[in-house]
Amino acid sequence: MATTEDRVLEGAEPTYAELLARIEALEAAASGGVKKTNKLAIIAWGGDLDRIWPTTILATTAAASGMESTVFFTFWGLFAIVKPGVRITGDNWMQKMMSAMNPGSAQKAKLSHYNFAGAGPAMFKKLAGDRQVAAPDELIATAQDLGVRLIPCQMTMDLLGLKRSDLIDGLEEPIGAATAIAHMRDAAVSLFI
C-alpha cells in the first residue's frame, strides 16, 4: 500500500483515514508544546533612562490591561531599582568602582545617547513632564500598585555587591536566570530591554 506522501505525489486524494491520522499526529505533537498565557515577561538589562522608561511603560500598560506582568532586573537594569540614596555598594574595590560609575536609581539614570553631560536626561524629563508622561520612578511605584512582579537577579546582585537592603522596598525575592526563563516560557509576550 502506498503511503500518504506517495499518494499525494501521484495526484491521488488522501483517504479520510489518512487525513484523520495526520490530524491526530499533529494534535499529539502540539499537545507537548507550552501553552502561552496572558502574561508579559520583560528582562530589564539596561539601566539607561531610555531603557527604563519603555520597560516601566510596557509593564504598567500590560498590568492595567489585565495581563500578568513580570520584570526581571539584571545587570545594569538592576540599578533602576536601587534606592535613590544608595551610592557606593559592594565589598571589594571592583564592586565599589562599578557602583560609583553607575548613577543608581531610576531618578538618576542617564540616556544611552545624547547625554550631553546630563543635559540630555534633563531635557527628556522636561519634555515628558510637559506632556504628563510619568517619570520611571513614578512608573515603578505604579507598577507595584498594579501588581507587576518586580524581581531582582540574585546573580547580578552577588556580582555587583548589592544587598537586598540596597534595593527599593516592595520587590519580590531575588531569583536566578533559570526561574526568569520559566516565567518567560509561558508568557504570551517576552521582551528583552
Side-chain angles (χ1 to χ4, degrees), residues 2-59:
T3 64
T4 303
E5 288 80 14
D6 293 336
R7 291 171 54 89
V8 170
L9 289 175
E10 294 170 7
E13 293 293 321
T15 66
Y16 175 75
E18 290 169 336
L19 289 173
L20 189 57
R22 279 179 162 173
I23 291 170
E24 288 172 356
L26 288 170
E27 286 177 345
S31 68
V34 176
K35 184 180 182 210
K36 300 292 183 180
T37 57
N38 190 29
K39 295 181 182 179
L40 167 70
I42 299 175
I43 303 296
W45 76 273
D48 296 316
L49 183 60
D50 45 335
R51 287 194 175 89
I52 298 168
W53 225 313
T55 297
T56 54
I57 289 169
L58 290 167

Side-chain angles (χ1 to χ4, degrees), residues 77-164:
L78 196 57
F79 284 102
I81 54 174
V82 168
K83 289 178 182 173
V86 173
R87 249 338 259 137
I88 306 298
T89 60
D91 299 321
N92 60 55
W93 70 270
M94 289 179 283
Q95 291 172 331
K96 291 177 187 303
M97 285 294 291
M98 295 297 274
S99 65
M101 290 186 288
N102 196 295
S105 89
Q107 295 172 350
K108 299 175 187 171
K110 298 176 181 177
L111 289 173
S112 63
H113 299 292
Y114 313 117
N115 200 52
F116 301 124
M123 289 187 290
F124 208 81
K125 289 175 183 177
K126 169 79 168 101
L127 290 169
D130 290 349
R131 284 153 184 82
Q132 288 89 38
V133 176
D137 57 316
E138 295 169 329
L139 287 165
I140 289 170
T142 300
Q144 290 176 315
D145 292 343
L146 291 171
V148 174
R149 300 178 70 195
L150 304 177
I151 308 172
C153 174
Q154 182 65 60
M155 182 209 63
T156 305
M157 289 175 64
D158 295 343
L159 185 69
L160 297 175
L162 289 167
K163 295 176 179 46
R164 187 70 176 86

